[in-house]
Amino acid sequence: MEEATISGSCQCKSIKVEATTDVACWSHCYCSMCRKTSGCPSMIFAGVPINSVKTVGTTLKSYDSSSVVTRSFCSNCGCGIFFNDHREPDTIWILASILDTFPEIGKTQKFQVYVDDKISFFDEMCKAKSLKSTEMEQFPVNPAKKGQ
């Protein structure tokens, strides 16, 4: 097997995905379907040719989230894996959040899509105080009791 350019897995490691090509396009999506599917304000995807992707595991399930998009996820841990847009049958969009390593994106095409659906405070949250894993003691576990 060719060495993977990108690879990843679901949280429980039941599903493994690898692509043996460079990412053709990165997409940062703010649409309501991505928000509701992920429980996050946005999702980032790596678009790769579908024939370059190999998936290993038996817990992969799919559903049609719209008339043009099929989303696939691990039925064991619920982690989203990728989606297919039927208007682009030769491309598969792998969730960046499942990648084990993050390639340099350099000159690869990059798009932010459905920016009109972005939650109103998203940009403000991007300016919030950033804490590294070694600084988490600063995070208010119970903000309602802070200062009491």
Side-chain angles (χ1 to χ4, degrees):
M1 181 179 1
E2 222 177 310
E3 187 173 322
T5 301
I6 61 170
S7 62
S9 63
C10 63
Q11 184 178 8
C12 72
K13 307 264 190 252
S14 294
I15 301 290
K16 294 181 181 8
V17 178
E18 59 182 41
T20 55
T21 186
D22 290 331
V23 175
C25 179
W26 290 94
S27 174
H28 189 175
C29 186
Y30 301 95
C31 81
S32 62
M33 283 188 292
C34 283
R35 288 197 323 265
K36 290 177 186 252
T37 297
S38 67
C40 296
S42 63
M43 295 175 83
I44 297 176
F45 299 96
V48 297
I50 197 164
N51 61 2
S52 74
V53 175
K54 189 167 278 206
T55 304
V56 177
T58 59
T59 60
L60 189 67
K61 300 291 181 196
S62 300
Y63 70 99
D64 294 332
S65 63
S66 72
S67 61
V68 295
V69 170
T70 299
R71 295 179 187 270
S72 297
F73 64 99
C74 174
S75 64
N76 190 45
C77 67
C79 182
I81 306 296
F82 51 73
F83 80 85
N84 300 87
D85 185 324
H86 306 296
R87 299 167 294 188
E88 298 180 52
D90 298 332
T91 302
I92 193 166
W93 296 90
I94 300 171
L95 277 74
S97 58
I98 71 160
L99 298 179
D100 295 325
T101 59
F102 301 97
E104 294 292 323
I105 61 174
K107 295 183 180 181
T108 307
Q109 289 188 86
K110 299 173 258 325
F111 294 94
Q112 292 190 60
V113 297
Y114 295 100
V115 295
D116 50 331
D117 286 348
K118 189 187 297 188
I119 60 174
S120 61
F121 55 85
F122 183 86
D123 293 331
E124 190 63 29
M125 285 304 300
C126 289
K127 299 173 193 170
K129 183 176 183 174
S130 297
L131 300 175
K132 296 178 184 176
S133 58
T134 57
E135 303 170 316
M136 286 305 294
E137 71 279 353
Q138 298 174 40
F139 186 75
V141 177
N142 190 343
K145 291 187 177 182
K146 194 75 172 171
Q148 288 183 357

